[in-house]
Amino acid sequence: MLDVTDSVKWSGLTLPNRIVMAPMTRVRSVNQRADDLTAEYYAQRASAGLIISEGTFTSPTARGFAAVPGIWSDRQVAGWRQVTNEVHDNGGRIVAQLWHAGRVSHTALQPDSACPIGPTDEVAVDGRAYIFGSDGDRSFVRPSTPRAMTEEDILAVVEEFGVAAANAMAAGFDGVEIHGADGFLINQFLNKGVNTREDAWGGTLENRLRFPLAVVDAVVTAVTRAGHGPGRVGFQVSPYGSLNGMPLYTEIEATYLVLASELSRRRVGYAHLSDQASSGDSPRMGIPEGFLKTFREEFTGLVILTGGMTRERADEVLNSGLVDLVGFGRPFISNPDLPHRLAESLPLADIRQDLVYSDGPEGYVDYPSLG
């Protein structure tokens, strides 16, 4: 019988438990750079088997949220290095999640107030960008109408992912995760209902996979050059999710099973599946168990499942043999010592919802540990 406290091997590292801290945007970085407070926050949670950082933007045009740290400049790399040093000093392991929001952005976040970019010029009607208004107030807003990416744009973004991966390794991360979920740029290219391009980058299944796999190749190359290899690369997906205007479509299963096969061929270390319906973020279906089983057969690396995770559900999915690690999101916000609490069946502290997206230390680094 597997348990969340059991160790697991991942690309030359031993993860002391199977509990993953899922990526969570916290909008504490007004200057777009990780800082002392960021380092303290992650260090407090270093007992996770693996920490996946909040999404970090690959370039100024990748932004879809205000007050989120990027990873395109030397100062940002130095800020993240402070985070990784603190996590490692506390015995933890952490990967950087590389993020491009694509069309789920706003002119207020873009250089020179330009339009965001996406596979097409269709707006993400149900999407949400996060901006600072002219009065300084923070708010979620409907994304601006995007500009359809040219082939030159696409190739430039692929290169940006490669540079961001190299920066992440230079910052001391143990690996990188490519954000291919939740309706953001890579997910936009994968989704048949959104990517209606008629060139080599859209339409057919093969063409819809072209951009995501080009990103994977660029990231794998960068991580390999840093001395670690493709096993230190992960890829997050949300196959049946509908966040940020992602419609359900025929060929969902086929799309992600071919993707799984291609990731395996590239020896990517893990696939991170986000079950949005289970997390309560989507009114639509979760990931069907049959799909998870078939995905597992196609993908040769480790499988992480996140979304509405509890100790009971974690035990169930681990012992089903369908996943190797289980991700917890919001419980990690209010329980920095979550692995200890789960192992000892201790009560979990409630989250202060009004401080999830906020500023300063309150609701960020002031939740106490029990151990």
Side-chain angles (χ1 to χ4, degrees), residues 2-225:
L2 282 178
D3 188 89
V4 292
T5 61
D6 291 339
S7 64
V8 62
K9 299 286 188 181
W10 170 59
S11 190
L13 292 176
T14 297
L15 310 184
N17 58 66
R18 294 172 184 258
I19 300 167
V20 174
M21 178 177 167
M24 290 176 287
T25 302
R26 300 304 309 277
V27 298
R28 272 4 190 240
S29 302
V30 175
N31 62 2
Q32 301 172 53
R33 178 178 178 268
D35 56 18
D36 294 352
L37 203 61
T38 320
E40 181 180 359
Y41 169 72
Y42 284 109
Q44 289 176 344
R45 292 153 179 81
S47 63
L50 181 66
I51 294 173
I52 304 173
S53 82
E54 62 203 279
T56 181
F57 290 121
T58 55
S59 71
T61 56
R63 299 175 66 217
F65 271 61
V68 169
I71 198 165
W72 65 83
S73 75
D74 290 343
R75 289 186 71 251
Q76 290 168 333
V77 171
W80 279 119
R81 188 178 297 115
Q82 184 177 356
V83 173
T84 61
N85 285 343
E86 289 289 333
V87 170
H88 292 150
D89 287 349
N90 283 272
R93 298 134 303 275
I94 182 169
V95 300
Q97 188 188 66
L98 305 182
W99 184 14
H100 194 302
R103 70 176 188 163
V104 187
S105 184
H106 192 276
T107 55
L109 298 166
Q110 294 294 311
D112 301 319
S113 300
C115 295
I117 56 176
T120 72
D121 59 4
E122 292 294 318
V123 68
V125 175
D126 296 325
R128 296 199 308 169
Y130 187 80
I131 69 170
F132 290 161
S134 57
D135 56 2
D137 286 348
R138 301 161 174 246
S139 62
F140 283 101
V141 296
R142 175 176 167 168
S144 301
T145 300
R147 174 177 63 80
M149 296 169 73
T150 64
E151 182 164 11
E152 183 179 12
D153 293 326
I154 292 170
L155 296 177
V157 171
V158 170
E159 183 177 358
E160 288 169 3
F161 268 95
V163 172
N167 287 346
M169 303 314 291
F173 282 100
D174 296 298
V176 297
E177 176 177 290
I178 299 166
H179 195 338
D182 299 345
F184 297 114
L185 184 62
I186 291 174
N187 196 183
Q188 293 159 25
F189 270 89
L190 284 169
N191 190 294
K192 185 177 182 180
V194 173
N195 184 357
T196 56
R197 297 175 69 99
E198 297 180 352
D199 62 2
W201 301 94
T204 67
L205 172 54
E206 179 183 6
N207 288 352
R208 285 184 285 113
L209 287 168
R210 191 181 304 275
F211 171 69
L213 293 176
V215 169
V216 172
D217 291 339
V219 169
V220 164
T221 297
V223 173
T224 301
R225 285 176 178 167

Side-chain angles (χ1 to χ4, degrees), residues 3-4 18-20 278-279 305-318 323 325-331 338 341-343 348:
D3 188 89
V4 292
R18 294 172 184 258
I19 300 167
V20 174
S278 292
S279 67
L305 180 65
T306 60
M309 197 61 64
T310 63
R311 175 60 194 263
E312 294 72 26
R313 186 169 188 240
D315 288 339
E316 179 184 344
V317 295
L318 284 173
V323 306
L325 300 107
V326 287
F328 291 80
R330 294 196 171 202
L338 183 65
R341 297 193 193 212
L342 293 178
L348 301 186

